[in-house]
């Protein structure tokens, strides 16, 4: 069976399994009457919509939140090679996570294990070192086997005593290892006598010895692969049945130095992720400072990524540096020789993945244990570059080189870090003009944004580049976030002729080492659990279908009113002074006039910071505080002009001028000089989650007074800076809570009706299937919970419920529960 056929077979598992419950109702009938909204769904079963590729949904793995070391990579020893450095984190030393008894000294000299493994440990006679692992310690389970290994040398000979224990005592019988001569790898095995989450690994020596690569691996890894993956985490990813695996980043691939790890470059530690650093024997792989503030050992490297993709049936999709940095760095490398080297590295990567074992890099793949090619078909160049002209110029060089030698490879471009704005528009124009095959879009927005933008791709050019939604999430792991994402995904499927790939991000998060929220799968050293978002992704990814069946649904009754709310002032990591605040109604009446000559009693503090009146101005003096919002006025104000004079005194950014303020979680603000004073944008906060409505590059000068005016008329807002119109927008897109899509299983002809009801009322829905002949019984999978529910290690309120609905006909009525995602598989006769 081909990979494609296997993938399609697996996709049917959720709704076709024999374990489905049989019930006449989907969920228990509530004891009290619930509000009901009536809808209609009409399915044109005789029409054919867009084909859906097997690779439609996938996963994106980036080493963020300790996703690799201490996460998916099964190694239990932290800092096993004594390579931690202040380059990784200000608090790090080569002995971070180790404690010493006796004499131990990290050495960086000619006695090292090899040139790329720079640091080792000299351990004096009678001394020992103990490793604390990750989280609460080294996790072992009773009866399970664990493999210890160490590289060591000792001139006169030494005996290493290796123990595994916690505060209560031994966790396994100790092991003795005789060391003599130069660097050699030594191995031993433990069987855990009991379970513990707080284990410590100790290595003691009878005589002077040098140690490196001190390792403890569970014998049982995912598919029992050597140098393998943590089983429970890998299984949760595999359960998604991903169509592709994007790796290794993210900001890891387009930040830091583009030099290699060598003497010629001064052994640079803050480098972009480069694949050649991560293959070959693990003891010879480079180390690096992770962009997210810790060390990455590269024990989990490109070979392991390719192997994992193959093991879960996913298309590998690597991302390589474009030599234009992003993620706040925003510099283009002009070194021609360096650019040529990276282009060649990309060609070598394709050879590593696809070349015969007789080739140089295909030979290395075979030597590592995989003689057969991995079958690479797609590769991405760059990630979220903020300099579209510089990026596209370099991208074209990469693409030309790849197409010349490997014409079957799809080379993917991107559109910068935002879903809209000048960079986005420029990047897309250049991509279209350059005839790019596929463009990677990224956005992290509020649930409201996702409910409003279901139609985002309806108007995309069907003849232009295809879309890869490589990173998206709705700023939270509560059920309301997952609901909004589910609603949005119906729009992705409806536009499957344009959107070819999509992946939620990030994938993994160790709960004790978090740099980014939200995340799909959470874990610690003893357990892992899927978020509410994970359950939505799993439901969609296991039930994609092969083709869209055209359908339409009625909309939710209701009309948006005008933008209403009070006004506000704020800063972010900046000290600023404000004066002469004027709010005037459309008829000219003064609603607020404050020059602060009488103090600031009209203003209410709802954020942090330190606000005082100084020399007749309202000044926020704490340049470290974030979101220092103060507000004034009536939440019912509408159709008004807000005018204020603002001056930046010091700090990283500019001004935040708020309007339409309803409360602390619902407002608009004009963020002038945000993102480290690189751009300005209008953001809307809904229930605390923010999304960008309008964005332009620009910065704010220190010591200069700016005249700022915001004009609000109905849903239309126009913004003026120093008398010139800066921009305008109309906030008139409804946040539609009822969304649906229908797809077809090509093998069986089954219809998959997928409905999202993201509102607190039931959705009583009349479903019309035209002239289709269908079975009267449908298999149903439902996710439903209160909107603020969050899955945790000990509680999973968001979990699928399966049932059978017996009332299917060419026209039937079904009531979708509040706050629910429902998948109904309808058998065609």
């Amino acid at each position: 069976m081909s990979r494609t056929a296997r993938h399609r077979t697996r996709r049917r598992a959720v709704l076709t399994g024999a374990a489905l419950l049989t019930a006449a109702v989907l969920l228990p009938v509530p004891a009290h009457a619930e509000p009901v909204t009536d809808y209609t769904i009409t399915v044109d079963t005789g029409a054919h919509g867009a084909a859906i590729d097997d690779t439609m949904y996938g996963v994106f793995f980036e080493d963020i939140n300790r996703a690799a070391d201490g996460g998916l990579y099964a190694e239990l020893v932290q800092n096993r090679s004594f390579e931690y450095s202040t380059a990784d984190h200000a608090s790090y030393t080569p002995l971070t996570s180790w404690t010493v008894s006796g004499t131990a000294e990290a050495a960086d000299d000619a006695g090292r294990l090899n040139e790329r493994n720079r640091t080792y440990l000299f351990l004096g006679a009678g001394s020992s070192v103990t490793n604390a692992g990750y989280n609460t310690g080294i996790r072992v389970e009773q009866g399970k086997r664990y493999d210890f290994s160490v590289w060591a040398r000792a001139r006169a000979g030494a005996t290493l005593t290796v123990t595994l224990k916690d505060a209560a005592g031994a966790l396994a019988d100790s092991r003795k290892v005789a060391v003599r001569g130069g660097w050699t790898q030594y191995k031993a095995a433990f069987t855990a006598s009991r379970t513990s989450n707080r284990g410590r690994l100790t290595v003691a020596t009878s005589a002077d010895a040098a140690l490196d690569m001190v390792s403890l691996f569970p014998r049982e890894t995912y598919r029992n692969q050597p140098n393998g993956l943590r089983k429970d985490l890998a299984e949760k990813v595999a359960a998604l049945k991903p169509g592709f695996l994007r790796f290794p980043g993210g900001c890891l691939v387009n930040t830091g130095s583009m030099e290699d790890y060598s003497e010629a470059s001064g052994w640079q530690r803050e480098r972009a992720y480069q694949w050649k650093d991560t293959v070959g024997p693990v003891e010879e792989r480079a180390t690096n400072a992770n962009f997210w503030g810790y060390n990455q050992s590269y024990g989990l490297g490109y070979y392991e990524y390719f192997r994992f993709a193959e093991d879960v049936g996913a298309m590998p999709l690597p991302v390589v540096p474009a030599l234009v940095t992003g993620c706040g760095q925003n510099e283009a490398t002009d070194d021609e020789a360096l650019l040529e080297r990276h282009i060649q590295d990309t060609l070598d990567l394709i050879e590593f993945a696809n070349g015969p074992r007789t080739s140089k890099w295909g030979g290395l793949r075979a030597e590592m244990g995989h003689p057969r090619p991995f079958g690479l078909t797609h590769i991405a160049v760059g990630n979220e570059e903020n300099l579209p002209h510089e990026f596209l110029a370099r991208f074209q060089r990469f693409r030309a080189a790849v197409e010349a030698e490997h014409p079957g490879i799809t080379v993917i471009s991107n559109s910068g870090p935002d879903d809209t704005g000048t960079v986005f528009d420029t990047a897309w124009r250049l991509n279209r003009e350059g005839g790019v095959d596929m463009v990677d879009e990224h956005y992290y927005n509020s649930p409201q944004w996702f409910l409003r933008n279901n139609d985002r791709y309806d108007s995309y050019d069907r003849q232009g580049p295809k879309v890869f939604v490589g990173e998206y999430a709705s700023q939270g792991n509560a059920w309301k976030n997952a609901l909004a994402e589910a609603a949005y995904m119906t729009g992705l499927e409806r536009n499957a002729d344009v959107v070819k790939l999509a992946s939620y991000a990030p994938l993994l998060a160790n709960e004790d080492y978090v740099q980014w929220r939200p995340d799909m799968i959470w874990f610690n050293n003893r357990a892992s659990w899927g978020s509410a978002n994970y359950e939505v992704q799993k439901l969609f990814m296991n039930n994609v279908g092969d083709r869209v069946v055209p359908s339409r649904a009625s909309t939710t009754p209701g009309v948006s009113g005008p933008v209403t709310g009070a006004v506000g002032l704020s800063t972010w990591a900046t000290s600023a002074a404000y004066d002469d605040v004027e709010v005037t109604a459309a008829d000219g009446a003064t609603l607020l006039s404050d020059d602060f000559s009488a103090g600031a009693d009209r203003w209410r503090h709802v954020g942090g910071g330190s606000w005082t009146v100084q020399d007749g101005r309202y000044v926020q003096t704490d340049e470290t505080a974030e979101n220092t919002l103060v507000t004034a006025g009536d939440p019912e104000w509408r159709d008004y002009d807000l005018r204020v004079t603002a001056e930046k005194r010091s700090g990283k950014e500019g001004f935040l001028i708020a309007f339409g303020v309803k409360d602390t979680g619902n407002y608009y603000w004009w963020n002038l000089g945000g993102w480290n004073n690189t751009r300005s944008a209008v953001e809307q906060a809904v229930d605390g989650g923010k999304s960008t409505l309008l964005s332009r590059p620009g910065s704010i000068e220190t010591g200069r007074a700016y005249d700022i005016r915001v004009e609000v008329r109905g849903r239309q807002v126009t913004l003026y800076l120093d008398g010139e119109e800066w921009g305008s927008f109309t906030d008139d897109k409804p946040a539609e809570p009822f969304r649906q899509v229908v797809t077809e299983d090509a093998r069986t002809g089954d219809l998959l009706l997928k409905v999202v009801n993201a509102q607190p009322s039931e959705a009583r829905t009349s479903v019309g299937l035209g002239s289709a002949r269908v079975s009267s019984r449908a298999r149903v999978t439902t996710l439903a919970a209160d909107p603020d529910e969050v899955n945790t290690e000990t509680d999973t309120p968001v979990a699928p419920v399966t049932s059978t609905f017996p009332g299917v006909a060419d026209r039937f009525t079904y009531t979708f529960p509040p706050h629910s995602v429902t998948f109904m598989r309808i058998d065609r006769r």
Side-chain angles (χ1 to χ4, degrees), residues 422-438:
T422 303
V423 170
F424 178 86
D425 292 341
T426 301
W428 258 105
R429 176 177 60 79
L430 295 172
N431 281 311
R432 284 192 296 267
E433 292 172 354
V436 169
D437 292 322
M438 186 176 290

Side-chain angles (χ1 to χ4, degrees), residues 11-12 14-15 40-41 43 50 52-53 56-57 454 483 485-494 496 536-549 551-553 737-745 750-758 765 767 769 779-783 812 814 816 820-826:
R11 279 177 163 180
R12 301 185 188 103
V14 167
L15 294 183
T40 60
I41 296 175
V43 186
I52 305 174
D53 294 346
M56 174 73 179
Y57 295 122
N454 178 274
L483 267 176
E485 291 156 5
Y488 190 72
M489 292 171 79
T490 66
L492 298 183
E493 290 191 8
R494 188 177 65 251
V536 161
Q537 294 293 322
K538 183 178 178 183
L539 188 58
F540 273 85
M541 292 166 75
N542 279 257
N543 299 282
V544 182
D546 302 286
R547 183 174 293 278
V548 177
V549 180
S551 62
R552 61 185 182 275
F738 186 82
R739 297 291 189 183
Q740 60 81 37
V741 71
V742 181
T743 63
E744 179 184 37
D745 184 322
D750 291 350
L751 298 175
L752 282 162
L753 172 61
K754 311 173 188 183
V755 177
V756 180
N757 181 27
T765 306
V767 180
L769 301 178
R779 289 150 290 173
V780 179
T781 300
T782 299
L783 295 168
F812 65 96
Y814 191 91
F816 296 95
S820 67
V821 179
T822 304
F823 276 36
M824 181 179 292
R825 180 177 282 270
I826 301 171

Side-chain angles (χ1 to χ4, degrees), residues 488-706:
Y488 190 72
M489 292 171 79
T490 66
L492 298 183
E493 290 191 8
R494 188 177 65 251
N495 288 283
D497 57 330
V498 169
V499 181
K500 291 299 182 181
L501 307 169
S503 51
Y504 179 100
L507 178 63
L508 296 174
N510 186 320
E511 66 173 352
D512 292 335
Y513 309 93
V514 179
Q515 289 86 33
W516 186 276
R517 297 173 188 270
D519 304 286
M520 193 195 298
I521 300 170
W522 289 79
F523 65 93
N524 50 39
N525 63 343
R526 63 187 176 273
S528 59
W529 57 97
S531 64
N533 318 70
Y534 173 85
E535 295 298 341
V536 161
Q537 294 293 322
K538 183 178 178 183
L539 188 58
F540 273 85
M541 292 166 75
N542 279 257
N543 299 282
V544 182
D546 302 286
R547 183 174 293 278
V548 177
V549 180
S551 62
R552 61 185 182 275
S554 58
T555 58
T556 304
V559 178
S560 295
V563 173
T564 61
V567 298
L569 309 171
S570 186
T571 59
W572 198 287
T574 301
S575 173
Y578 298 93
D579 202 358
D580 297 329
V581 179
E582 298 275 352
V583 182
T584 307
D587 62 4
T590 299
L591 302 176
L592 174 70
S593 178
D594 200 342
D595 62 4
F596 303 104
S597 58
D601 292 343
R602 301 183 189 184
W603 297 83
R604 184 169 67 95
H605 291 249
V606 295
S610 178
W611 288 90
T612 58
V613 175
Q614 299 179 14
D615 299 324
R617 299 191 299 175
Y618 202 20
V619 181
Q620 198 293 113
T621 56
D622 185 352
E623 66 178 63
T624 65
E626 298 179 346
N627 192 3
T628 65
L629 185 63
V630 293
T631 65
D634 188 338
E636 300 304 318
W637 278 352
R638 55 177 290 182
D639 296 335
Y640 59 78
D641 290 353
L642 163 63
R643 192 161 195 162
V644 60
T645 300
E647 179 183 319
K648 174 181 176 179
R649 291 159 43 109
S650 62
K652 297 179 180 178
E653 304 203 348
F655 319 116
L656 294 162
I657 309 301
F659 55 95
V661 180
K662 305 296 288 185
D663 52 48
T664 56
N666 296 275
Y667 55 85
Y668 301 82
W669 67 20
W670 186 6
N671 187 346
L672 285 154
W675 296 271
N676 288 319
N677 206 17
T678 60
R679 62 188 174 102
S680 299
V682 177
E683 298 176 281
Q684 182 185 18
V686 177
D687 295 332
K690 290 199 293 291
S691 56
T692 301
L693 304 180
L694 187 64
S695 177
R696 292 176 56 180
S699 60
I700 294 297
E701 299 175 21
T702 301
R704 174 184 165 189
Y706 288 85

Side-chain angles (χ1 to χ4, degrees), residues 332-480:
T333 300
D334 292 322
D335 186 327
E336 178 64 22
L338 192 58
L339 175 61
E340 288 289 346
R341 194 265 287 174
H342 276 267
I343 291 172
Q344 185 59 51
D345 281 354
T346 302
L347 298 175
D348 293 343
L349 171 60
I350 298 170
E351 183 180 291
F352 177 78
N354 294 351
R357 59 190 306 173
T358 53
S359 65
K360 176 181 177 180
W361 295 105
L364 175 59
R365 182 197 67 240
E367 183 181 319
M368 294 183 72
H370 201 282
R372 291 177 291 106
F374 283 115
L376 178 67
T377 59
H378 291 64
I379 193 166
V381 176
N383 170 77
E384 296 187 6
E385 282 74 19
N386 244 321
L387 304 173
H389 290 280
E390 292 86 344
F391 165 71
L392 262 296
R394 288 156 181 77
F395 172 85
Q396 296 286 30
R397 296 275 301 276
F398 279 86
R399 185 177 68 162
V402 171
E403 289 181 345
E405 293 197 20
H406 306 281
I409 300 291
T410 298
V411 185
I412 301 172
S413 179
N414 74 80
S415 59
D418 299 305
D419 61 277
T420 188
T422 303
V423 170
F424 178 86
D425 292 341
T426 301
W428 258 105
R429 176 177 60 79
L430 295 172
N431 281 311
R432 284 192 296 267
E433 292 172 354
V436 169
D437 292 322
M438 186 176 290
V439 176
D440 187 4
E441 293 189 355
H442 296 177
Y443 33 84
Y444 297 91
N445 287 319
S446 68
Q448 194 86 346
W449 185 94
F450 283 93
L451 291 175
R452 286 179 169 179
N453 284 277
N454 178 274
D455 63 349
R456 177 179 176 87
Y457 297 106
D458 290 5
S459 59
Y460 270 50
D461 182 1
R462 267 47 199 170
Q463 306 306 313
K466 302 306 180 184
V467 175
F468 172 20
V469 185
E471 298 182 33
Y472 71 96
S474 72
Q475 300 176 341
N477 279 142
W479 177 232
K480 62 188 175 186

Side-chain angles (χ1 to χ4, degrees), residues 119-436:
T119 308
Y120 64 96
L121 187 72
F122 174 80
L123 192 61
S127 301
S128 66
V129 287
T130 299
N131 192 265
Y134 296 92
N135 300 93
T136 58
I138 292 173
R139 160 77 175 186
V140 296
E141 295 182 53
Q142 184 176 6
K144 296 289 182 69
R145 299 272 286 175
Y146 297 86
D147 293 320
F148 168 82
S149 64
V150 63
W151 284 83
R153 62 174 170 82
R155 291 180 181 175
T159 298
L160 303 182
T161 301
V162 187
T163 57
L164 189 58
K165 62 176 63 176
D166 62 11
L171 294 169
D173 293 337
S174 62
R175 293 288 182 261
K176 293 190 181 295
V177 176
V179 175
R180 181 177 295 275
W183 286 108
T184 304
Q185 188 181 39
Y186 299 91
K187 298 181 179 181
F190 292 98
T191 299
S193 57
R194 56 187 176 86
T195 296
S196 176
N197 303 320
R198 301 177 181 275
R200 300 291 188 268
L201 180 74
T202 298
V203 180
T205 182
S206 63
D208 291 353
L211 309 179
D212 209 340
M213 297 294 291
V214 182
S215 173
L216 187 69
F217 251 85
R219 178 74 56 85
E220 185 181 19
T221 59
Y222 181 62
R223 296 205 168 188
N224 295 318
Q225 295 276 20
N227 195 48
L229 307 181
R230 180 171 149 174
K231 189 169 183 287
D232 64 321
L233 290 178
E235 285 176 343
K236 281 184 171 59
V237 177
L240 293 168
K241 299 180 175 60
F244 65 87
L245 171 64
R246 176 180 178 238
F247 61 89
C251 289
L252 301 187
V253 302
N254 73 334
T255 54
S257 168
M258 299 294 166
E259 299 287 348
D260 61 2
Y261 191 58
S262 67
E263 184 177 8
S265 68
W267 306 106
Q268 291 192 32
R269 287 289 293 267
E270 298 179 67
R271 309 182 313 285
Y273 197 111
Q274 298 171 53
W275 78 271
K276 289 180 180 178
D277 285 342
T278 76
V279 295
V282 292
E283 69 273 9
E284 295 178 8
R285 298 183 188 181
T287 189
N288 202 10
N290 183 295
F291 173 80
W292 299 107
Y294 52 90
N295 177 271
Q296 50 190 349
S297 72
Y298 290 146
L300 175 59
Y302 257 71
Y303 176 78
E304 289 76 24
Y305 288 130
F306 277 119
R307 191 177 64 191
F308 185 41
E310 182 178 72
D311 285 346
V312 300
M315 175 185 80
L317 204 169
V319 186
V320 299
L323 273 72
V324 179
T325 58
C327 302
Q329 297 183 0
N330 304 331
E331 293 183 1
T333 300
D334 292 322
D335 186 327
E336 178 64 22
L338 192 58
L339 175 61
E340 288 289 346
R341 194 265 287 174
H342 276 267
I343 291 172
Q344 185 59 51
D345 281 354
T346 302
L347 298 175
D348 293 343
L349 171 60
I350 298 170
E351 183 180 291
F352 177 78
N354 294 351
R357 59 190 306 173
T358 53
S359 65
K360 176 181 177 180
W361 295 105
L364 175 59
R365 182 197 67 240
E367 183 181 319
M368 294 183 72
H370 201 282
R372 291 177 291 106
F374 283 115
L376 178 67
T377 59
H378 291 64
I379 193 166
V381 176
N383 170 77
E384 296 187 6
E385 282 74 19
N386 244 321
L387 304 173
H389 290 280
E390 292 86 344
F391 165 71
L392 262 296
R394 288 156 181 77
F395 172 85
Q396 296 286 30
R397 296 275 301 276
F398 279 86
R399 185 177 68 162
V402 171
E403 289 181 345
E405 293 197 20
H406 306 281
I409 300 291
T410 298
V411 185
I412 301 172
S413 179
N414 74 80
S415 59
D418 299 305
D419 61 277
T420 188
T422 303
V423 170
F424 178 86
D425 292 341
T426 301
W428 258 105
R429 176 177 60 79
L430 295 172
N431 281 311
R432 284 192 296 267
E433 292 172 354
V436 169

Side-chain angles (χ1 to χ4, degrees), residues 13-26:
V14 167
L15 294 183
T16 60
L20 293 175
L21 304 177
T22 301
V25 293
L26 184 64

